Amino acid sequence: MLTYKLQTVLRFVSRYNWLIALIIIAILLMRLKDQNEKVEDYREVNKLQESEIIKWKDQSGKNRAMAQIAEVNAKNIKRVLQEDLKKFLKKEVGNIKKNLISYSSVKSSTSGRVTFPLKDSLIDNGERLIEVKSINYKSKYLQLSGMYLPNTDSLILVYKVSHNFDYTYYYKKRGKPPFNVFNRKEAVAQIRFHNPGTEADSIYTIVLKRKKGLLGRLLSSD
């Protein structure tokens, strides 16, 4: 009985060896594709560390900054993230692979120069009147008030700085048209700061790519 089954299997293999070979080739190609995607995702994330930030000031005087985005396959996201970032995102979003859409980290700084007058004032500390110099300044992006106490050579300040900005993701070709017609599109992030004294120091952005289901692929117009 065992010999008969073995002979049956051998006859099937000899008759359909081309089909078996195709199946093996298909499996190997799928594995190769997965490995290539994994390598590409590692490369995308590593490029962010060295990505150059392009900074400029637009016609309205607002500071802008642009940097590349890493588009990572959702199934590889846990492998390519740094351990500290992985722990942070897991705490924030739970299941990174299923719940995360994108992650962005922007470091910015605000600098400028303001001039304001000092006003002589008196304050009552409960025992006597103390001479102080008061400060009050208010603009669209900075609110500041405080007191200078000459007796103790101290300055007390209360301030508020506005850092409003717009964040945009989009695809862009390198170079200037029409010379960039054959260049590959790349995903970039652009920030526009409303405060003219604020600019970006670094931009780090990861966006997850997810494979559409069969129904999504059929209904997609892309």
Side-chain angles (χ1 to χ4, degrees):
M1 185 70 175
L2 183 60
T3 304
Y4 174 75
K5 288 183 177 180
L6 182 59
Q7 289 175 347
T8 302
V9 171
L10 290 174
R11 281 198 299 270
F12 177 83
V13 170
S14 62
R15 182 178 300 178
Y16 297 103
N17 57 354
W18 59 273
L19 179 61
I20 296 173
L22 285 177
I23 293 173
I24 293 173
I25 291 172
I27 293 172
L28 291 175
L29 287 175
M30 288 176 64
R31 288 186 176 180
L32 180 61
K33 182 183 178 183
D34 287 343
Q35 289 299 318
N36 288 339
E37 285 183 348
K38 192 187 304 179
V39 170
E40 182 62 27
D41 287 345
Y42 272 112
R43 188 181 293 118
E44 283 278 300
V45 172
N46 287 334
K47 273 198 310 184
L48 287 188
Q49 309 296 334
E50 303 174 357
S51 178
E52 179 186 358
I53 301 179
I54 301 173
K55 301 180 183 181
W56 74 98
K57 195 179 289 285
D58 62 20
Q59 293 179 351
S60 63
K62 299 185 187 302
N63 286 322
R64 295 194 182 220
M66 184 174 66
Q68 283 184 275
I69 290 175
E71 293 185 291
V72 179
N73 195 301
K75 65 182 179 182
N76 295 328
I77 186 63
K78 291 182 180 179
R79 300 172 191 241
V80 301
L81 285 182
Q82 295 180 358
E83 197 61 34
D84 55 344
L85 180 55
K86 191 190 305 182
K87 289 180 180 178
F88 166 74
L89 290 176
K90 188 174 181 181
K91 181 181 178 181
E92 293 293 318
V93 305
N95 190 321
I96 300 175
K97 182 178 176 181
K98 292 183 179 180
N99 297 343
L100 185 66
I101 298 173
S102 68
Y103 167 78
S104 297
S105 175
V106 180
K107 293 180 180 179
S108 63
S109 57
T110 302
S111 60
R113 179 178 178 178
V114 292
T115 303
F116 41 79
L118 298 178
K119 183 180 178 182
D120 292 329
S121 303
L122 293 173
I123 60 172
D124 187 354
N125 69 347
E127 297 179 358
R128 62 189 179 89
L129 294 176
I130 301 176
E131 292 184 1
V132 300
K133 293 185 179 295
S134 61
I135 303 165
N136 282 286
Y137 178 85
K138 185 175 182 180
S139 69
K140 188 175 181 180
Y141 305 106
L142 173 64
Q143 297 179 35
L144 186 148
S145 62
M147 290 186 300
Y148 171 63
L149 287 70
N151 291 342
T152 58
D153 200 22
S154 300
L155 178 64
I156 303 171
L157 289 177
V158 178
Y159 64 92
K160 178 181 178 182
V161 183
S162 298
H163 298 287
N164 299 338
F165 60 87
D166 304 320
Y167 206 117
T168 309
Y169 302 147
Y170 62 99
Y171 287 101
K172 179 181 177 63
K173 288 185 177 182
R174 281 185 174 272
K176 295 183 179 181
F179 308 104
N180 64 348
V181 64
F182 297 111
N183 292 353
R184 177 175 168 269
K185 283 186 176 181
E186 61 182 23
V188 297
Q190 185 182 137
I191 302 178
R192 182 184 67 160
F193 293 97
H194 293 267
N195 188 334
T198 304
E199 64 176 27
D201 298 322
S202 68
I203 304 172
Y204 183 94
T205 303
I206 294 176
V207 175
L208 262 62
K209 297 186 295 185
R210 288 182 172 83
K211 185 180 289 186
K212 294 181 180 179
L214 178 60
L215 182 61
R217 291 197 296 271
L218 290 175
L219 297 178
S220 177
S221 58
D222 296 340

